[in-house]
Amino acid sequence: MTTKLASLQEWVDAVALLTQPENVHWCDGSDAENDRLVAEMNESGDLLPLDPENYPNCYLHRSDPSDVARVEHLTFVCTNDEDDAGPNNHWMKPADAHAKIDALFAGAMQSRTMYVIPYCMGPIDSPFARLGVEITDSPYVVVNMRLMTRMGTAAMARIEKEGTFVKGLHSTGDLDPDRRFIMHFPEELSIKSFGSGYGGNALLGKKCHALRIASWQARQEGWLAEHMLIVGVENPNGETHYIACAFPSACGKTNLAMLIPPESHKGWKIWTLGDDIAWLHPDAEGRLRAINPEAGYFGVVPGTNAKTNKNAFDMIHSDTIFTNVATTDDNQPWWEGKNVGSPSVDWQGRDFDEKNGPAAHPNSRFTVSAKKNAAYSELAEAPDGVPISALVFGGRRKELAPLVYEAKNWNHGVLIGASVASETTAAAAGEVGVVRRDPMAMKPFCGYNFADYWAHWLSFADNNNQLPKIFHVNWFRQDDAGKFLWPGFGENLRVLRWIIDRCENRVGARETAVGFLPEIGDIDTRDLDISKETMQALLSVDIGQWQQEMASIGEYLETYGDRLPKALKEVHGKVVSDLQKAS
Ligand code: GTP
Ligand code: SPV
Ligand code: MN
């Protein structure tokens, strides 16, 4: 296969000239192609087969120990004007960035095969889907992209018809962290990533395209590209509400997206549309409709078990690529919180010794096709997506943020989103457990200046009364002993029910300075072993703490200077004065 699209052929030729691969392979996405790549990687040791009896067609990939997570400090947004990238991004002048990274790409694919991967983000016949081509020298990337995107012949046909696509160039390079860069050129619709084979750094359709580049395009075109799961909640009467939730990395999106209703909730059903990214478009009625641009899940493995996430746990027993998990002595994958078996070899291939830390890397991941999910929504392939009733922000907060609260209006909701803070996790290189600002869970993923992004969010409020309501949740509030106050996982349905009841005007709320909170008793705790005192603690608002929080948010927002939208400052000022009145 080659292509009749001249712009694509010219780009591929130019890349081959620069990188000097031994072969060029155009991927068609077929089973035969996948089987051949898997066989080659079994041979090279890039993919190790797992116990075929209990884990048929499952493989383990061990990445380089220095290459296990996203690298935000090496991720750049390269716009002509530095202010367009904003203080939320690392920036480099496009010409300098190209020069720097092209020098690394020069000759980088010698004696390797260069794969050309045509892919589609979104249902292949959706007007909201977008095309891309990733060039890579990593067969691991090819087999992952096949699970995570609509990859191959059908995507190529649409690319040739439309003529526009995002260009992504990737090489694993020599994995030297000093020669690693993830660069984005939104004005050119292109991405260049060198020196990492890991997840979000290398599977360019995901964070690089579907969030950083897409957020830039979305702003120009009047839609939103967000780090959100999409879930359908069906009540016993058969009515389904769709909710999109933005939580930072490793803060519970995959788990919520495929939640299993607890025993106490007979007749309730949960349908997964997406677990990481949502593209939201306003429709003719002024509602927001969401599609999931992805076709698979690249999920956090540790903590996944039959209790916490049975859908994921079942799904990853076949046709799954595991990255950086441990293995048992009968070659089954193993991870902390699996609750069955015990590790014999750790994620680095060493005999397991607890002195070396966890057996599976805390950011070990599974890659699996979304179609394997028992809760996969029949609307996951709907070209126009689903109408969204509620948008929910959240993060990991030991204290302060209540279990759930509701924004007073759209602009206040935008402030709540802009104010998201969360304890850092293993999904990105760096210290874990430090609270940092992560507006809309997009700190690592927004391809332009946050001030402009908030203005874009605020612009949706104009003349529109069909917008979703906005909420904030926190599953991670702890007591003084460090124990989670809320059981989480399947029980989170109880909170989603309150959210839906609010959307349907079926339940009242308690107005506070920070937003509307449930009355104790309006969160259904039937059959739940939780005391009234704990619920009170979960739904409390400490005015003094919130005053400090709002002061810190105010300082943070000021760092965006003149570009900060006035309406955001105003709504911040209103919360501050309401807190003052309440104190
Ligand atoms: P990314 O793929 O990095 O974007 O992460 P994610 O937001 O999809 O997070 P995920 O659902 O994979 O959860 C990450 C970790 O949080 C896992 O270890 C989960 O077990 C844990 N977790 C998820 N939901 C809950 C919850 O409701 N309560 C508690 N206590 N932990 C949770
Ligand atoms: C995240 O870190 O938010 C992920 C995993 O979803 S990665 O694809 O590596 O970005
Ligand atoms: Mn994510």
Side-chain angles (χ1 to χ4, degrees):
M1 192 161 93
T2 52
T3 179
K4 48 184 196 251
L5 184 65
S7 59
L8 174 54
Q9 188 68 53
E10 280 157 22
W11 174 55
V12 170
D13 291 345
V15 168
L17 198 65
L18 175 68
T19 61
Q20 311 209 333
E22 191 169 283
N23 305 299
V24 178
H25 176 81
W26 294 71
C27 299
D28 61 15
S30 64
D31 290 346
E33 176 182 83
N34 189 64
D35 292 349
R36 187 172 58 76
L37 289 173
V38 168
E40 282 171 17
M41 282 186 280
N42 286 168
E43 192 75 18
S44 66
D46 270 350
L47 278 190
L48 308 170
L50 292 162
D51 171 19
E53 205 165 308
N54 294 296
Y55 285 86
N57 200 27
C58 291
Y59 299 92
L60 165 62
H61 173 75
R62 292 196 186 111
S63 74
D64 187 274
S66 73
D67 185 31
V68 293
R70 284 182 294 98
V71 281
E72 295 176 8
H73 58 297
L74 304 174
T75 299
F76 290 79
V77 170
C78 309
T79 45
N80 283 305
D81 181 348
E82 180 169 3
D83 284 343
D84 288 339
N88 46 305
N89 280 302
H90 299 295
W91 175 84
M92 214 184 282
K93 221 179 163 63
D96 295 348
H98 282 301
K100 201 175 187 88
I101 202 161
D102 286 354
L104 301 175
F105 275 111
M109 298 189 189
Q110 273 167 28
S111 77
R112 303 178 64 105
T113 297
M114 181 175 110
Y115 300 94
V116 181
I117 310 172
Y119 64 86
C120 178
M121 301 308 291
I124 196 92
D125 53 352
S126 167
F128 306 128
R130 293 300 164 103
L131 292 312
V133 177
E134 175 166 357
I135 298 180
T136 180
D137 56 6
S138 161
Y140 166 81
V141 166
V142 179
V143 295
N144 274 276
M145 285 290 282
R146 183 167 176 271
L147 293 168
M148 295 303 298
T149 71
R150 282 93 173 165
M151 180 267 254
T153 313
M156 184 61 127
R158 190 164 161 181
I159 291 167
E160 289 181 331
K161 201 167 94 202
E162 291 187 10
T164 28
F165 59 94
V166 170
K167 295 183 175 120
L169 173 56
H170 168 257
S171 170
T172 315
D174 54 11
L175 297 175
D176 177 350
D178 292 332
R179 290 156 48 82
R180 181 176 295 162
F181 293 102
I182 324 296
M183 291 175 166
H184 303 75
F185 305 90
E187 287 146 338
E188 303 166 24
L189 299 187
S190 85
I191 305 154
K192 291 183 179 177
S193 164
F194 190 91
S196 167
Y198 189 79
N201 304 329
L203 310 176
L204 302 186
K206 194 172 177 62
K207 298 304 166 60
C208 300
H209 178 166
L211 286 178
R212 297 194 192 96
I213 300 287
S215 62
W216 174 280
Q217 292 179 294
R219 179 191 172 216
Q220 290 175 330
E221 299 167 10
W223 52 285
L224 292 164
E226 298 298 327
H227 191 204
M228 291 179 176
L229 69 93
I230 311 164
V231 68
V233 182
E234 184 181 330
N235 69 20
N237 299 329
E239 297 153 358
T240 306
H241 287 84
Y242 296 94
I243 301 180
C245 311
F247 309 154
S249 302
C251 290
K253 290 184 300 301
T254 301
N255 277 270
L256 192 68
M258 44 194 82
L259 166 162
I260 294 193
E263 282 296 320
S264 54
H265 280 63
K266 287 264 172 325
W268 288 82
K269 291 194 189 103
I270 290 285
W271 302 107
T272 316
L273 288 104
D275 84 325
D276 199 48
I277 301 179
W279 286 355
L280 303 159
H281 288 79
D283 70 8
E285 285 88 59
R287 290 175 304 188
L288 285 183
R289 300 189 76 90
I291 65 160
N292 170 17
E294 302 192 277
Y297 310 124
F298 184 66
V300 175
V301 181
T304 306
N305 63 49
K307 270 224 175 89
T308 55
N309 190 346
K310 185 172 186 303
N311 284 321
F313 190 67
D314 289 350
M315 184 165 29
I316 63 179
H317 274 74
S318 60
D319 309 304
T320 300
I321 300 170
F322 289 91
T323 300
N324 294 335
V325 296
T327 48
T328 62
D329 54 14
D330 52 358
N331 205 28
Q332 299 195 29
W334 192 89
W335 52 87
E336 276 67 21
K338 185 180 184 186
N339 292 353
V340 274
S342 55
S344 114
V345 174
D346 76 5
W347 66 278
Q348 298 190 54
R350 303 172 298 197
D351 284 343
F352 173 64
D353 181 342
E354 48 184 47
K355 284 200 218 77
N356 290 329
H361 189 277
N363 191 38
S364 51
R365 295 266 166 174
F366 56 77
T367 319
V368 69
S369 164
K371 292 207 170 105
K372 295 201 61 199
N373 178 1
Y376 187 65
S377 165
E378 61 180 20
L379 291 180
E381 296 278 337
D384 292 328
V386 292
I388 296 296
S389 302
L391 296 175
V392 184
F393 296 110
R396 279 178 193 263
R397 296 298 295 265
K398 282 189 187 63
E399 44 184 35
L400 187 85
L403 181 61
V404 59
Y405 62 102
E406 179 192 329
K408 295 185 178 174
N409 51 52
W410 181 262
N411 284 7
H412 180 221
V414 174
L415 175 72
I416 289 174
S419 309
V420 168
S422 193
E423 293 152 29
T424 51
T425 65
E431 218 182 321
V432 167
V434 190
V435 176
R436 72 155 179 182
R437 297 256 156 244
D438 191 350
M440 281 80 173
M442 284 286 277
K443 169 73 185 69
F445 308 121
C446 184
Y448 62 103
N449 191 320
F450 261 153
D452 300 342
Y453 171 78
W454 297 323
H456 181 47
W457 265 83
L458 292 165
S459 75
F460 283 81
D462 300 343
N463 313 317
N464 193 330
N465 54 14
Q466 301 284 327
L467 286 169
K469 285 190 182 234
I470 299 180
F471 298 81
H472 186 285
V473 297
N474 179 20
W475 314 140
F476 299 95
R477 201 140 153 179
Q478 295 178 8
D479 64 14
D480 294 339
K483 191 174 159 284
F484 290 121
L485 290 175
W486 177 249
F489 303 102
E491 308 298 347
N492 293 336
L493 177 57
R494 299 170 189 270
V495 175
L496 297 184
R497 281 178 52 204
W498 185 77
I499 287 174
I500 291 166
D501 283 347
R502 288 294 295 166
C503 294
E504 292 289 326
N505 292 316
R506 288 195 289 238
V507 67
R510 173 165 69 96
E511 182 164 2
T512 73
V514 303
F516 295 115
L517 272 87
E519 304 282 2
I520 302 278
D522 281 346
I523 301 276
D524 179 359
T525 53
R526 183 168 40 108
D527 293 341
L528 199 59
D529 182 19
I530 196 164
S531 67
K532 193 159 174 224
E533 291 67 41
T534 304
M535 284 310 292
Q536 261 154 357
L538 279 164
L539 295 173
S540 65
V541 171
D542 180 319
I543 299 292
Q545 270 188 4
W546 270 97
Q547 283 181 309
Q548 278 177 22
E549 177 76 358
M550 291 315 292
S552 138
I553 290 165
E555 278 168 32
Y556 172 70
L557 295 178
E558 283 308 324
T559 62
Y560 289 85
D562 291 347
R563 277 167 100 125
L564 186 70
K566 235 176 87 202
L568 200 62
K569 268 199 236 189
E570 280 167 13
V571 66
H572 176 264
K574 172 89 171 67
V575 178
V576 171
S577 74
D578 287 352
L579 281 164
Q580 183 61 36
K581 278 183 226 146
S583 69

